[in-house]
């Protein structure tokens, strides 16, 4: 694999920056810097029908959701979990991505502002993800959404939360999910895949950044036997919805996405896997700089989601 020219230019720009690495900051300052960096690499807000922020009740307390409604809503829904290692990110950092998914699919998108570490370490975010999915399927009809036409999606750490929420709620939802979209998901903290060994210094998540995330999210005792932390440890993948897994060639998490596709396919789950070989982790938040972000976001992912969600109505 070879870096594409735009990604190569991005890495040159990053290497010339004098900004302190995130893993050398405290988590509050790192969050602010992460928001600032995304504002410089992604396009501005995309016009859609409307948005609103509201709270839902969970066993651990209220969490915020942001609802994105398309100009002509299709009656389908997408539950989205943002990335950021369980420490960074929020519904604002991934606002443009959610707007794009809403506009291009016609689905109503719900972005989950789950609790972050270190204030709320693992498994707090998992509990929030499960509660959000259960809430959406139960409330769907009141939101003019068909509960059988709901997809679950997430990027990076949010991809892990999406995968875990589907496993943890299997058989408990009003209707099975219609699809899952996992975008460069972080699925295995054990670092056993070749890409984790080959890309230890790769922007934007070199090994120092990964350990910074894991230590904040998991604390000192990493749960290496818990499938909620390592979704590959779930024993039964049957009954999961059709799945699209997107990875990047120069991403330490690349092989985790590829390996996760294999047991799903063996369990009879329709799986599609696509690796954008010339780019890096987080590229979907870099539409100002990378054409591959636009192509994958608006053409590949939205087209696939629309195909899955526009199936037979209940």
């Amino acid at each position: 694999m070879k870096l594409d020219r735009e990604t190569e230019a991005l890495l040159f720009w990053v290497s010339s920056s004098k900004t302190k690495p995130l893993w050398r900051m405290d988590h509050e300052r790192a969050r602010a810097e992460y928001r600032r960096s995304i504002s410089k690499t992604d396009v501005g807000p995309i016009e859609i029908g409307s948005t609103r922020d509201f709270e839902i009740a969970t066993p651990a307390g209220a969490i915020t959701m942001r609802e994105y409604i398309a100009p002509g809503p299709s009656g389908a829904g997408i539950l989205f979990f943002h990335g950021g290692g369980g420490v960074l990110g929020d519904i604002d950092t991934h606002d443009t991505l959610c707007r794009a998914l809403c506009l291009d699919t016609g689905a109503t998108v719900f972005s989950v502002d789950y609790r972050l570490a270190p204030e709320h370490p693992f498994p707090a975010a998992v509990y929030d993800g499960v509660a959000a999915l259960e809430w959406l399927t139960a409330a769907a009809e009141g939101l003019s959404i068909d509960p059988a036409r709901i997809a679950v999606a997430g990027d990076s750490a949010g991809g892990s939360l999406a995968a875990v929420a589907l496993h943890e709620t299997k058989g408990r939802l009003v209707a099975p999910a219609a699809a899952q979209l996992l975008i460069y998901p972080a699925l295995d903290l054990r670092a056993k895949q070749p890409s984790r060994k080959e890309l230890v210094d790769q922007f934007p998540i070199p090994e120092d950044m990964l350990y910074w995330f894991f230590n904040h999210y998991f604390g000192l005792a990493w749960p290496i036997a818990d499938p909620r932390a390592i979704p590959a440890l779930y024993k039964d993948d049957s009954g999961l919805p059709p799945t699209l897994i997107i990875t990047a060639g120069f991403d330490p998490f690349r092989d985790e996405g590829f390996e996760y596709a294999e047991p799903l396919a063996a369990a009879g789950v329709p799986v599609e896997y696509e690796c954008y070989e010339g780019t890096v982790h987080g590229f979907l938040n870099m539409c100002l700089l990378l054409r591959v972000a636009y192509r994958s976001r608006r053409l590949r992912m939205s087209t696939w989601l629309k195909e899955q969600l526009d199936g037979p109505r209940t």
Side-chain angles (χ1 to χ4, degrees):
M1 289 182 286
K2 181 180 179 182
L3 284 168
D4 63 48
R5 290 185 177 181
E6 290 175 344
T7 302
E8 199 169 27
L10 167 67
L11 297 186
F12 177 79
W13 173 58
V14 169
S15 67
S16 64
S17 171
K18 299 188 183 300
T19 303
K20 188 177 181 180
L22 296 183
W23 64 88
R24 293 180 183 168
M25 302 178 186
D26 65 75
H27 63 277
E28 290 287 1
R29 184 181 170 195
R31 287 171 185 166
E33 179 59 30
Y34 181 67
R35 293 187 200 100
R36 188 187 70 83
S37 66
I38 286 184
S39 71
K40 293 171 65 176
T41 61
D42 209 350
V43 296
I46 298 168
E47 186 174 347
I48 58 172
S50 63
T51 67
R52 70 178 177 114
D53 290 0
F54 61 97
E55 291 186 342
I56 65 168
T58 78
I63 59 173
T64 299
M65 305 271 278
R66 179 169 294 169
E67 179 184 36
Y68 300 82
I69 302 176
S74 66
I78 300 171
L79 186 68
F80 183 83
F81 297 97
H82 67 80
V87 182
L88 311 178
D90 51 39
I91 54 178
D92 289 326
T93 58
H94 288 64
D95 181 74
T96 297
L97 174 53
C98 288
R99 286 172 177 269
L101 292 175
C102 173
L103 182 66
D104 294 337
T105 65
T108 301
V109 177
F110 297 86
S111 184
V112 186
D113 204 19
Y114 57 87
R115 290 172 292 168
L116 299 177
E119 299 94 330
H120 304 284
F122 173 86
V126 171
Y127 293 149
D128 292 349
V130 169
L133 180 53
E134 291 180 331
W135 169 84
L136 181 56
T137 60
E141 291 186 357
L143 297 163
S144 300
I145 293 171
D146 184 342
R149 298 176 61 213
I150 293 175
V152 182
D155 73 306
S156 194
S160 175
L161 291 176
V164 170
L166 285 169
H167 273 285
E168 293 291 314
T169 59
K170 194 186 296 185
R172 303 205 321 248
L173 302 177
V174 172
Q180 71 169 328
L181 169 63
L182 308 181
I183 307 164
Y184 31 78
L187 298 167
D188 192 340
L189 60 87
R190 296 172 295 181
K192 65 185 184 65
Q193 294 81 9
S195 60
R196 284 287 301 277
K197 298 175 174 64
E198 297 164 3
L199 299 167
V200 292
D201 296 319
Q202 185 64 56
F203 170 87
I205 45 171
E207 192 169 56
D208 287 340
M209 184 85 248
L210 289 178
Y211 283 113
W212 186 87
F213 280 138
F214 292 157
N215 288 333
H216 278 76
Y217 186 59
F218 295 119
L220 297 178
W222 293 7
I224 58 173
D226 191 333
R228 297 174 302 172
I230 305 174
L233 296 178
Y234 282 106
K235 301 297 184 184
D236 181 10
D237 295 309
S238 63
L240 293 175
T243 300
L244 173 61
I245 300 175
I246 298 289
T247 62
F250 289 83
D251 181 354
F253 294 145
R254 180 194 66 214
D255 296 342
E256 296 178 26
F258 179 77
E259 286 188 4
Y260 192 66
E262 294 179 330
L264 266 62
V269 177
V271 180
E272 296 181 41
Y273 170 84
E274 186 159 351
C275 179
Y276 290 83
E277 294 186 347
T279 194
V280 295
H281 187 87
F283 69 90
L284 283 176
N285 293 114
M286 303 176 186
C287 273
L288 272 180
L289 306 174
L290 305 177
R291 280 176 290 185
V292 66
Y294 175 86
R295 292 197 303 269
S296 61
R297 186 157 88 182
R298 306 204 69 173
L299 302 180
R300 180 64 170 109
M301 297 190 310
S302 292
T303 299
W304 182 85
L305 281 170
K306 191 170 175 58
E307 289 172 353
Q308 304 305 314
L309 294 173
D310 285 353
R313 271 62 164 177
T314 57

